[in-house]
Amino acid sequence: MSRYGMVIDTVRCVGCMDCVVACKTENNVPEGFNRDWIAYDVQGEFPTLQMEIRSERCNHCDAPPCVYCCPTGASHVHDVGGVVLVDYDKCIGCKACVASCPYGARFINPEGYAEKCTFCIHRVEEGLDPACVSVCPTHCMHFGDLDDPNSEVSTLLASRRHHTLMPEAGTKPRIFYLT
Amino acid sequence: MSSFTRRKFLKISAATVTVASGAAVLSKHSVTPAQAAKRPATGVQRIPTTCDICFWKCGAIASVRDGVLWKIEGNPDDPLSRGRLCPRGTGGVGAHFDPDRLRRPLIRRSDRGRDAWHEVSWDEAFAYIAKKMHAIKAAHGPEAVALFSHGIGGNFLKHTLKAFGTPNMAAPSFAQCRGPRDTGFRLTFGEDIGSPERTDIKNAQCLVLIGSHLGENMHNSQVQEFADAVGNGATVIVADPRFSIAAGKAKHYLPIKPGTDLALLLAWMHVLVQEGLYDKEYVAKHGFGFEQFAARLATFTPEWAYPETGIAPDVIRATAREMARHKPATLVHPGRHATWYGDDAQRSRAIALLNALLGSWGSKGGFYTPASMDVPAYPYPAYPKPARPKVDNPDHRYPFAHETITTGIREATITGKPYPVKGWFVYATNLLQALPNEQETIKAIQNLDLLVVIDVVPSEIAGWADVVLPESVYLERHDDLNVELFREPFVALRQPVVEPPGEQKPNWWMAKRLAETLGLGHFYPWKDIEEYFAHRLTAAGLRYEELKAKGILRGAAAPIYAADGVPLTFETPSGKIEFYSPQLEQAGFDPVPVYRKHEEPPPGAFRLLFGRSPVHTFSRTQTNRVLADMMDENEIWVNADVARRLELKSGEYVRLRNQDNVLSNRIKVKATQRIRPDCVYMVHGFGHTAKGLRHTYLKGASDSQLVTRYATDPLMGGTGMNVNFVTLEPEATRV
């Protein structure tokens, strides 16, 4: 079994939002909404500053609160790669998942269902990288199987310092940020 | 007739257009039977082309799904994009679907009491333009028609106007952007650094950025290489009043006081010379006038520079030594938008000289020698020789201007000297935001007998036109072949991937039809542009069909560094790198750059700085709905402590008032630690006042509107625009 995850190099990232735009066109995300976004984490006082830039999205958690709280089973863990998905036909738009997600990764599509990052599973199942990863002009994003010790993502995690977002939430996120 | 009030700024919008002749506007889902016949019923087509969201012209592959444009990705064969576009390129689909696009030619009728445009046929539009052009020619000569253009799309219009007999063609990219940089480098090395720049960023071991905000300024190849350099552990040194994205990657961030960059550069050079850290062999071999240069640097110590720049002497020394340690793989980036303070060509020359001391010109990790494909020009008939020289630079007032000065044409249009200018063509540049002091632009426009604007959306400049010609966006048209000077030679093709949604036409078609209407049809011996491409490519020994299929044809890569045998030659009068410039001295300028203080903002006011966002190009993409979703208004960056003192919070709206009492549109405060307290900063291109740009109308503020003052560079006529001061006025009602 594979366990898909993403490793994002904050040293290379310039926060250009190409990942956000690519997601939008690839997945036809409605105007006014985005499935991914850029966070600028600035520490210190001028001029002694540190800044970490992160491309953020659904963390496809190993312990996904959105799946646990979904009353209809629409939010589920996909067979392939353990990707967290929403079955739009089963979704009733109750927003429980939106409230449960500590990362603010979900929104309600104007047509009434919960929407979020799918890791571009339709591309991944064709052997392609997610759209955001494939377009990144800085090559700061990597996608692959975290359970395969020889995958690029595993190798990067073994060799570089990294962190996840809000590990204290206990969700076991699968997006890792290299620092 | 009152020349100043006769023309009103007309906002082009659906409500103000009266349809003169037929043809319903097509929605984005409408297709004509001809279009439908061309389209496959289902499936995805991938068509190579080149991007035109900016002038970088990256190779792209557009995916069309069931006949509808879906997405655009980089072409892996393209040396510029290396298979990955920037966010604007990826968001280029929004240009095609933009509901605010111009759809049919428009003429503003002479009954000016009515704020109404008439949609006309293309033939009517050309007949109108040609009649006016003939009248201008008869009264004032063909030189009285000028062109302002931006990008490769304007090539054929230039051809038509040269055939008409005018030499007056300019782009804001010179006097409002990279001009001073190119002049500074020409004076030093005898060559400028081109576009795309010949900067070997990816191999730099030390990269110095002076106000250049790579990563926000999203020139694709440069940003990709910047990430490579950072990823490789290059030492990055950033001098910027703002903690830019690049500053976040820097080992040394120098929070320099605005307007003092030249003092820092002189002090850096002082350290390199005084401590003997420069590349002595390189300077001895290639340099001219080094002794005189060194003597003039003597007083520019780090201690002298400290009170000017705010950068401590030990930091200046440490960073100079860091540059020397990595030489010649130290790249002091020359930037691009260099029109800041009016002494910009001299500042750029100091950057050139610093690179010369480090031996980086010609070296790996410095400035490489670019190559291009030999694709001969089309063998057109000779153009008529203009009876008068260009109008922009009378008596060579700016002796080192090697391109036409937009603002010089504007001035001649206002004054009628050295001769009157009565017709303007404006192609793909929103002049009201591109040139400083919009009132001067408006004043010039009032003197015109003809203003033709070619654009894709109803921009501010289009609102002032007599005739608006709607161009198809780059995804719907062919443009001229792109033959760039770059790391390796290549030729790239822009070709249509979808049909335009209305009656929009490509520039080449307009330029050809206009020439034919003017009786200059013999300047277009080819039937359509594909015949033109085939002719040029055949002459180059290439096959058009192959280019059409691949989008890019690459030539053989050749060495690009001096160490690999590329000869270093300098087209300067001495044939060497001119550390001391006799030609500057003879023209009455400093032969070695000298720092002079710039006026500082009065108490309570802030210097207005502006720059780029990675998701927008100039003032032309704010109406693109995909990119607007990334950023739909700009913010004014205010130092957090200053904001606290002024009782301003992030997200609150303020207006900016400049020294000439011009008040901006409202703009959101971004209170941040990332900027000095003596300046404020905004992204250029927002604050649109054209109502037809429905989505972006009055969103954010326009820096251009506040740039009423500019400092003209005496060497080359560039307009330094960072010389405006603003105060912040809170909005009474918060939204």
Side-chain angles (χ1 to χ4, degrees):
Chain A
M1 279 293 286
S2 53
R3 195 168 65 96
Y4 289 142
M6 225 178 244
V7 172
I8 301 175
D9 188 345
T10 65
V11 175
R12 294 182 73 106
C13 178
V14 297
C16 74
M17 303 176 82
D18 206 359
C19 46
V20 188
V21 184
C23 174
K24 199 169 191 75
T25 61
E26 175 71 30
N27 297 301
N28 199 22
V29 179
E31 205 174 307
F33 299 93
N34 290 307
R35 291 183 184 177
D36 52 351
W37 62 90
I38 301 291
Y40 301 88
D41 196 344
V42 181
Q43 306 287 335
E45 284 189 19
F46 187 84
T48 312
L49 297 165
Q50 297 283 326
M51 179 163 56
E52 181 175 286
I53 307 169
R54 292 187 302 266
S55 171
E56 297 185 358
R57 60 189 50 61
C58 168
N59 277 278
H60 296 273
C61 305
D62 278 339
C66 54
V67 172
Y68 300 158
C69 75
C70 178
T72 67
S75 283
H76 65 283
V77 178
H78 188 53
D79 301 341
V80 180
V83 176
V84 176
L85 296 177
V86 180
D87 182 335
Y88 300 151
D89 291 333
K90 284 189 187 166
C91 179
I92 55 171
C94 73
K95 302 182 189 169
C97 57
V98 176
S100 77
C101 175
Y103 306 106
R106 291 173 168 240
F107 62 90
I108 302 295
N109 181 291
E111 290 182 18
Y113 53 82
E115 183 176 336
K116 65 166 199 76
C117 164
T118 63
F119 267 170
C120 280
I121 193 69
H122 64 289
R123 288 175 59 96
V124 172
E125 288 179 345
E126 284 180 13
L128 299 168
D129 274 333
C132 54
V133 175
S134 76
V135 301
C136 176
T138 69
H139 290 258
C140 80
M141 301 177 66
H142 308 270
F143 177 82
D145 182 2
L146 296 168
D147 281 349
D148 173 359
N150 297 315
S151 68
E152 189 186 31
V153 284
S154 298
T155 321
L156 283 165
L157 290 180
S159 62
R160 295 270 304 271
R161 289 199 327 175
H162 57 267
H163 68 89
T164 55
L165 297 181
M166 290 192 233
E168 68 279 8
T171 56
K172 299 184 186 164
R174 275 192 262 147
I175 295 187
F176 297 85
Y177 294 94
L178 303 178
T179 57
Chain B
M1 185 174 75
S2 158
S3 66
F4 200 77
T5 56
R6 68 180 173 87
R7 188 189 303 260
K8 292 175 87 172
F9 173 33
L10 300 183
K11 280 108 181 176
I12 303 172
S13 64
T16 62
V17 173
T18 59
V19 179
S21 51
V25 171
L26 296 169
S27 85
K28 79 179 184 188
H29 299 299
S30 305
V31 286
T32 63
Q35 287 167 350
K38 279 190 204 168
R39 287 178 181 172
T42 55
V44 176
Q45 277 182 291
R46 288 168 54 81
I47 306 164
T49 185
T50 63
C51 184
D52 196 42
I53 280 280
C54 85
F55 47 81
W56 210 256
K57 301 183 283 287
C58 290
I61 296 177
S63 293
V64 177
R65 186 168 52 191
D66 302 340
V68 179
L69 179 62
W70 171 25
K71 62 181 174 182
I72 314 168
E73 296 160 293
N75 184 340
D77 284 342
D78 170 40
L80 291 169
S81 74
R82 301 194 289 187
R84 297 188 174 211
L85 297 179
C86 85
R88 298 166 302 165
T90 306
V93 289
H96 169 66
F97 289 119
D98 190 339
D100 293 345
R101 289 178 60 178
L102 294 164
R103 285 165 187 272
R104 302 197 70 207
L106 303 171
I107 288 184
R108 185 174 54 75
R109 296 296 187 191
S110 54
D111 52 335
R112 292 194 171 99
R114 290 174 60 205
D115 273 5
W117 297 84
H118 292 271
E119 289 189 340
V120 296
S121 69
W122 280 99
D123 283 346
E124 283 174 88
F126 290 128
Y128 181 90
I129 296 168
K131 191 177 158 201
K132 290 271 189 181
M133 287 176 74
H134 284 311
I136 291 170
K137 186 175 180 174
H140 307 284
E143 306 87 2
V145 174
L147 167 69
F148 299 86
S149 97
H150 185 271
I152 194 170
N155 282 13
F156 294 103
L157 189 58
K158 284 182 196 165
H159 173 59
T160 293
L161 292 176
K162 283 180 190 167
F164 181 71
T166 181
N168 292 314
M169 302 176 190
S173 53
F174 181 70
Q176 279 69 50
C177 192
R178 59 176 169 74
R181 174 194 81 178
D182 292 349
T183 295
F185 272 69
R186 278 180 176 229
L187 286 165
T188 309
F189 296 112
E191 271 182 275
D192 55 49
I193 57 165
S195 171
E197 286 82 359
R198 51 163 73 177
T199 44
D200 194 15
I201 298 172
K202 69 179 176 188
N203 292 309
Q205 290 167 26
C206 176
L207 176 65
V208 184
L209 300 173
I210 303 161
S212 181
H213 50 326
L214 292 180
E216 291 160 280
N217 187 351
M218 199 66 211
H219 298 142
N220 193 358
S221 323
Q222 298 225 16
V223 176
Q224 291 196 21
E225 292 198 16
F226 177 58
D228 289 343
V230 170
N232 293 338
T235 297
V236 178
I237 298 170
V238 170
D240 198 316
R242 190 176 62 96
F243 189 82
S244 59
I245 294 295
K249 314 289 182 193
K251 178 176 173 188
H252 300 278
Y253 167 55
L254 281 53
I256 191 166
K257 184 168 151 187
T260 67
D261 312 271
L262 183 48
L264 176 64
L265 286 158
L266 291 169
W268 271 337
M269 292 196 285
H270 172 96
V271 174
L272 293 181
V273 171
Q274 199 232 349
E275 297 188 6
L277 298 174
Y278 65 99
D279 190 331
K280 292 181 184 124
E281 195 187 327
Y282 181 92
V283 168
K285 190 172 171 195
H286 301 297
F288 170 86
F290 178 76
E291 296 306 323
Q292 290 155 290
F293 161 81
R296 286 178 185 240
L297 285 178
T299 56
F300 299 131
T301 62
E303 284 70 21
W304 162 82
Y306 182 26
E308 301 301 326
T309 59
I311 309 300
D314 61 326
V315 174
I316 296 178
R317 288 201 169 84
T319 43
R321 288 170 194 154
E322 187 99 62
M323 288 181 221
R325 184 152 53 246
H326 298 288
K327 72 174 186 298
T330 295
L331 173 63
V332 186
H333 196 285
R336 186 169 178 110
H337 186 273
T339 43
W340 298 350
Y341 298 101
D343 59 356
D344 307 302
Q346 288 283 20
R347 183 188 68 251
S348 300
R349 189 165 135 69
I351 293 173
L353 290 168
L354 180 55
N355 279 297
L357 286 175
L358 296 162
S360 65
W361 185 266
S363 297
K364 188 172 182 178
F367 295 84
Y368 64 83
T369 304
S372 83
M373 206 102 142
D374 184 15
V375 181
Y378 193 92
Y380 288 122
Y383 298 122
K385 191 169 161 28
R388 292 174 288 188
K390 290 191 298 177
V391 77
D392 64 307
N393 191 9
D395 306 321
H396 295 280
R397 193 185 342 170
Y398 306 110
F400 301 102
H402 55 275
E403 290 183 31
T404 310
I405 303 165
T406 45
T407 28
I409 295 179
R410 183 177 73 178
E411 192 180 333
T413 310
I414 295 170
T415 62
K417 288 176 179 138
Y419 56 84
V421 177
K422 290 292 176 185
W424 281 9
F425 280 80
V426 179
Y427 173 78
T429 172
N430 190 3
L431 277 195
L432 288 167
Q433 289 225 15
L435 304 184
N437 196 321
E438 64 179 22
Q439 288 309 315
E440 284 184 46
T441 307
I442 291 167
K443 201 171 166 188
I445 289 171
Q446 299 293 4
N447 279 351
L448 296 174
D449 294 339
L450 176 67
L451 173 55
V452 180
V453 172
I454 299 161
D455 212 330
V456 295
V457 291
S459 57
E460 281 77 14
I461 187 66
W464 288 95
D466 299 310
V467 185
V468 180
L469 303 179
E471 192 183 26
S472 40
V473 302
Y474 66 99
L475 296 159
E476 304 153 356
R477 69 178 196 238
H478 286 106
D479 274 328
D480 206 349
L481 296 173
N482 186 28
V483 186
E484 291 286 29
L485 277 161
F486 196 56
R487 291 181 174 277
E488 57 183 292
F490 68 93
V491 56
L493 177 70
R494 178 168 300 143
Q495 61 183 339
V497 299
V498 279
E499 293 282 335
E503 292 185 26
Q504 300 92 340
K505 292 287 184 186
N507 182 281
W508 71 264
W509 182 90
M510 293 183 223
K512 186 171 190 289
R513 286 290 287 272
L514 176 62
E516 286 160 2
T517 313
L518 287 164
L520 300 167
H522 57 290
F523 279 91
Y524 285 87
W526 40 269
K527 189 167 90 324
D528 64 28
I529 198 168
E530 293 198 88
E531 191 180 310
Y532 162 91
F533 292 149
H535 189 285
R536 283 188 67 192
L537 290 162
T538 305
L542 301 168
R543 287 179 49 239
Y544 173 53
E545 288 306 318
E546 192 185 352
L547 180 60
K548 204 170 159 175
K550 294 181 176 169
I552 309 270
L553 296 177
R554 298 165 80 142
I560 58 173
Y561 304 123
D564 297 331
V566 179
L568 276 185
T569 55
F570 304 98
E571 302 287 322
T572 54
S574 64
K576 297 200 161 201
I577 301 171
E578 300 209 332
F579 282 93
Y580 186 91
S581 172
Q583 54 172 338
L584 277 175
E585 187 171 40
Q586 280 153 23
F589 300 112
D590 298 320
V592 175
V594 173
Y595 168 77
R596 292 181 182 85
K597 281 180 199 288
H598 294 291
E599 187 187 340
E600 290 186 26
F606 307 91
R607 187 182 297 278
L608 175 64
L609 302 177
F610 61 93
R612 304 284 180 226
S613 154
V615 293
H616 285 290
T617 303
F618 310 137
S619 65
R620 66 194 241 190
T621 52
Q622 288 74 24
T623 172
N624 174 322
R625 300 301 196 269
V626 175
L627 297 178
D629 247 8
M630 304 300 122
M631 177 184 188
D632 75 345
E633 61 182 289
N634 57 356
E635 299 171 306
I636 186 80
W637 293 43
V638 183
N639 174 277
D641 298 333
V642 171
R644 203 171 301 122
R645 205 174 67 228
L646 297 175
E647 298 180 351
L648 293 172
K649 291 194 182 70
S650 284
E652 291 178 351
Y653 281 101
V654 293
R655 289 178 195 265
L656 312 183
R657 189 181 294 279
N658 81 353
Q659 70 285 334
D660 295 319
N661 217 21
V662 171
L663 190 66
S664 77
N665 188 43
R666 65 177 202 163
I667 180 170
K668 266 184 194 168
V669 169
K670 176 189 170 102
T672 175
Q673 291 291 342
R674 292 176 56 195
I675 191 166
R676 284 175 62 96
D678 53 2
C679 53
V680 292
Y681 169 88
M682 69 167 85
V683 167
H684 171 79
F686 286 85
H688 284 277
T689 54
K691 276 188 182 158
L693 304 173
R694 287 175 296 175
H695 187 78
T696 192
Y697 175 62
L698 293 186
K699 281 192 183 158
S702 161
D703 54 281
S704 311
Q705 195 194 9
L706 296 164
V707 178
T708 48
R709 190 157 71 167
Y710 55 94
T712 304
D713 194 310
L715 273 63
M716 46 64 69
T719 54
M721 294 183 267
N722 292 1
V723 296
N724 291 272
F725 307 131
V726 295
T727 51
L728 310 182
E729 300 186 2
E731 274 279 271
T733 37
R734 289 173 191 163
V735 176

